[in-house]
Amino acid sequence: MDFPPWMQRAIQARLEEVSAQVEQDPELSRVRGETDEAFATLFADKDVEQTPEYAEWENRYIVSKGIENERLYMQGLRDGIQLTVSLLGQWMPEETDTKAQTTNGNP
């Protein structure tokens, strides 16, 4: 199911908004700090973070996590939209039938 360009832009804007909120989340900041501290402790005797190999790994890891999160979010949106359309499609005919009966004088 392809979305029209305006909807893709709206979804992208929402993704960027949610990402910004996540970046400012205090609990996530705390967890990141703890993770960084644990990593630093793990390699306290080695200067691994200064190697080009580590920098390349870190960049690739960040990009892969970003892509993964974006895809998960987009799939969640698609699933939610499909569910909403499906549910509305099932409910709308009943409401239309009820309105038509009421308009025609049928209870």
Side-chain angles (χ1 to χ4, degrees), residues 6-50:
W6 66 266
M7 186 176 277
Q8 290 179 0
R9 288 189 299 274
I11 291 170
Q12 183 64 39
R14 177 66 178 148
L15 175 62
E16 290 169 4
E17 179 183 334
V18 169
S19 295
Q21 290 173 354
V22 167
E23 286 296 319
Q24 297 174 1
D25 183 86
E27 183 179 0
L28 185 56
S29 294
R30 179 187 56 78
V31 170
R32 283 184 182 145
E34 291 171 356
T35 302
D36 292 345
E37 190 176 317
F39 186 83
T41 302
L42 180 64
F43 292 104
D45 295 334
K46 303 172 188 169
D47 198 12
V48 174
E49 292 183 61
Q50 301 303 319

Side-chain angles (χ1 to χ4, degrees), residues 40-80:
T41 302
L42 180 64
F43 292 104
D45 295 334
K46 303 172 188 169
D47 198 12
V48 174
E49 292 183 61
Q50 301 303 319
T51 65
E53 294 84 5
Y54 176 81
E56 182 177 347
W57 170 83
E58 184 179 38
N59 289 336
R60 290 175 186 260
Y61 178 79
I62 290 168
V63 169
S64 69
K65 281 298 182 183
I67 292 169
E68 178 183 339
N69 290 338
E70 181 177 355
R71 289 184 180 166
L72 288 170
Y73 182 78
M74 292 297 287
Q75 186 59 51
L77 280 177
R78 284 186 188 105
D79 293 347

